[in-house]
Amino acid sequence: RIGLLLFLAMCLGLSQAFNAPLQLTLRSATSLKDAASNVRQGAVCGATMGAAEHSSTSRRGLVAGLIGAGVLLQAGPAQADRSYTSMAAAKKQYTPRIKAAIAFYETELKDAIDKGDWKAVEAGLGPDSKPYKLAFVSKYSSGVVGEVVELKGLCKIYASSITASDSESSTTFKLYNILQKYAEFNQDILAAAKTGDQAAALKAWTQGDFAIRLYIDTLNKSTPRSVGKIELGGESPSLPPAVEE
């Protein structure tokens, strides 16, 4: 009888061992299905920002949209307990750094581009810079998956803290797509800086600034009034001046 109980326990353990990967596979399959939808959302976001060259039919547009799939495959900070306490703590921790980075982006970085100070531009968007830490893309190899693309940065963490509970919401994914575009435009600025193309750098900066402002606006709409919104001083310098009637 004891031998029979041991045999049953062994079978139960093997069953649990085989069931664990099965659950992970199903979860991954669901994420990949969502990722396909995320590609389309990325294309819409790009169109909203007026970046026609980043359409979903272009290679760069598809890559930008597919970044969402890399995010879905990675364990991130998105699964959080979205309570008033946790959201208020996140706002206190991340908002000052986000506002400081945007202020730098719209003043010192813009001035460096206007002056053609390309060393300052490269330093202003380097890995240690404030704008870079807002949102950037990390690529690395991971076994049979191959190259994994993952969105990282302060803005991603803050977005998930405000808009995600048990899992990422549609608003979370929209914010991720906006941040992916912001990171892409910053790479375009750096590419223009290497060749000294001021017109291209200004265009990419305008798109990047619009993207990060759109992120703040979208996030504020999802932030409870009790937590408080992120207030940025003045209008976005990337927007055209209002026409007086």
Side-chain angles (χ1 to χ4, degrees):
R1 184 174 300 176
I2 294 176
L4 178 60
L5 290 175
L6 291 174
F7 175 75
L8 290 175
M10 183 182 301
C11 290
L12 179 62
L14 288 173
S15 174
Q16 292 175 343
F18 280 110
N19 283 336
L22 178 60
Q23 295 170 357
L24 179 60
T25 301
L26 290 174
R27 191 179 303 118
S28 298
T30 302
S31 297
L32 289 173
K33 180 180 179 181
D34 293 340
S37 174
N38 197 34
V39 172
R40 293 191 292 273
Q41 294 175 7
V44 172
C45 174
T48 303
M49 288 186 278
E53 66 273 26
H54 299 290
S55 66
S56 60
T57 57
S58 70
R59 181 178 179 185
R60 295 182 66 188
L62 288 172
V63 171
L66 284 170
I67 291 176
V71 173
L72 287 171
L73 292 173
Q74 297 309 304
Q79 296 186 7
D81 179 17
R82 193 164 60 114
S83 64
Y84 167 78
T85 302
S86 65
M87 287 189 287
K91 183 176 186 293
K92 182 178 180 180
Q93 180 178 359
Y94 296 110
T95 295
R97 297 163 70 184
I98 291 174
K99 292 177 66 174
I102 294 176
F104 175 87
Y105 196 89
E106 294 182 344
T107 55
E108 295 180 50
L109 181 63
K110 176 64 162 52
D111 290 343
I113 295 175
D114 289 338
K115 296 175 182 177
D117 187 348
W118 304 121
K119 288 186 177 180
V121 171
E122 291 178 355
L125 290 175
D128 294 327
S129 69
K130 294 177 181 178
Y132 180 87
K133 291 178 180 179
L134 286 183
F136 60 94
V137 173
S138 176
K139 299 180 181 181
Y140 57 92
S141 299
S142 178
V144 296
V145 177
E147 185 180 64
V148 176
V149 182
E150 183 179 8
L151 177 69
K152 295 183 178 181
L154 300 176
C155 286
K156 180 192 175 184
I157 299 173
Y158 188 55
S160 64
S161 299
I162 298 297
T163 64
S165 52
D166 292 334
S167 61
E168 293 96 337
S169 65
S170 59
T171 301
T172 312
F173 286 126
K174 180 179 180 180
L175 290 166
Y176 287 177
N177 282 323
I178 294 172
L179 292 175
Q180 289 157 13
K181 286 294 183 181
Y182 166 78
E184 181 180 337
F185 293 140
N186 286 343
Q187 291 304 307
D188 291 342
I189 295 175
L190 289 173
K194 291 185 181 298
T195 60
D197 190 337
Q198 189 176 51
L202 284 172
K203 178 181 178 181
W205 176 88
T206 300
Q207 292 170 322
D209 186 62
F210 185 85
I212 200 62
R213 285 273 184 162
L214 180 61
Y215 163 85
I216 296 296
D217 183 62
T218 304
L219 185 62
N220 279 342
K221 291 177 181 178
S222 299
T223 303
R225 184 177 300 178
S226 58
V227 175
K229 305 180 185 303
I230 297 178
E231 301 291 343
L232 298 178
E235 294 292 331
S236 170
S238 60
L239 296 176
V243 178
E244 297 183 1
E245 297 182 356

